[in-house]
Amino acid sequence: MNFQVTVLKVLVSYPGGFAPMDDIKRDMAILATSGRDWSDQTKRLAARVPDLDIFSQGLVDRESGGWKITNKGRAVLEFMEARTVLDQPLEVVPAETVDAPVPPLPPLAERAKRSRERRERRREGRERARANAS
């Protein structure tokens, strides 16, 4: 888990971007034990800003009793989370049948008749199989 990215993500989830230290510690502990997905995600995000230092770069301010994300911190987090061209599919191939007209369904009475005939044929087949087995 990348500590710096996690701090940004935690702070941005609070109203006004400010969280008391006890809340930050609790949220960090929850995320640290939440599994590999969170760890992998924060590492991927951190890779987009290799020299990330949330305090010296002014992304997070220390305030009385807690930390607050700055506007610059929000912008950096948005940059890290932005989908890049590499994240998106390279080529989208339209389906060939998209423009083909869809034939209308037969009338309901016709479909019901066909369904009834299929059920009767299956029933007759089962009856023949029972008769041949005895």
Side-chain angles (χ1 to χ4, degrees):
M1 175 181 86
N2 184 288
F3 171 80
Q4 309 229 12
V5 173
T6 302
V7 169
L8 291 174
K9 294 287 282 178
V10 165
L11 292 176
V12 81
S13 71
Y14 280 83
F18 174 82
M21 283 308 299
D22 289 342
D23 290 352
I24 294 171
K25 288 177 186 178
R26 182 197 64 234
D27 292 351
M28 296 283 288
I30 291 169
L31 292 171
T33 59
S34 67
R36 187 174 179 110
D37 288 344
W38 179 256
S39 178
D40 291 346
Q41 179 185 1
T42 59
K43 288 177 185 176
R44 273 193 310 275
L45 293 175
R48 295 182 179 170
V49 183
D51 297 325
L52 183 65
D53 188 330
I54 58 175
F55 296 109
S56 68
Q57 293 173 338
L59 308 181
V60 173
D61 288 334
R62 292 180 180 101
E63 294 188 0
S64 178
W67 293 345
K68 182 175 183 177
I69 189 168
T70 63
N71 288 336
K72 186 177 178 183
R74 291 178 188 276
V76 169
L77 185 59
E78 286 177 21
F79 169 78
M80 286 190 287
E81 293 177 328
R83 295 185 68 86
T84 63
V85 174
L86 297 176
D87 293 337
Q88 298 173 5
L90 296 178
E91 182 178 343
V92 177
V93 180
E96 294 176 14
T97 59
V98 169
D99 295 331
V102 177
L105 291 172
L108 184 56
E110 180 67 26
R111 292 193 321 247
K113 178 182 172 190
R114 289 179 188 169
S115 180
R116 187 173 39 256
E117 289 170 348
R118 282 191 299 271
R119 280 193 308 270
E120 288 175 8
R121 283 194 299 270
R122 283 193 302 262
R123 185 179 43 80
E124 290 170 359
R126 285 191 301 267
E127 289 173 359
R128 276 194 300 271
R130 280 190 218 126
N132 290 338
S134 39

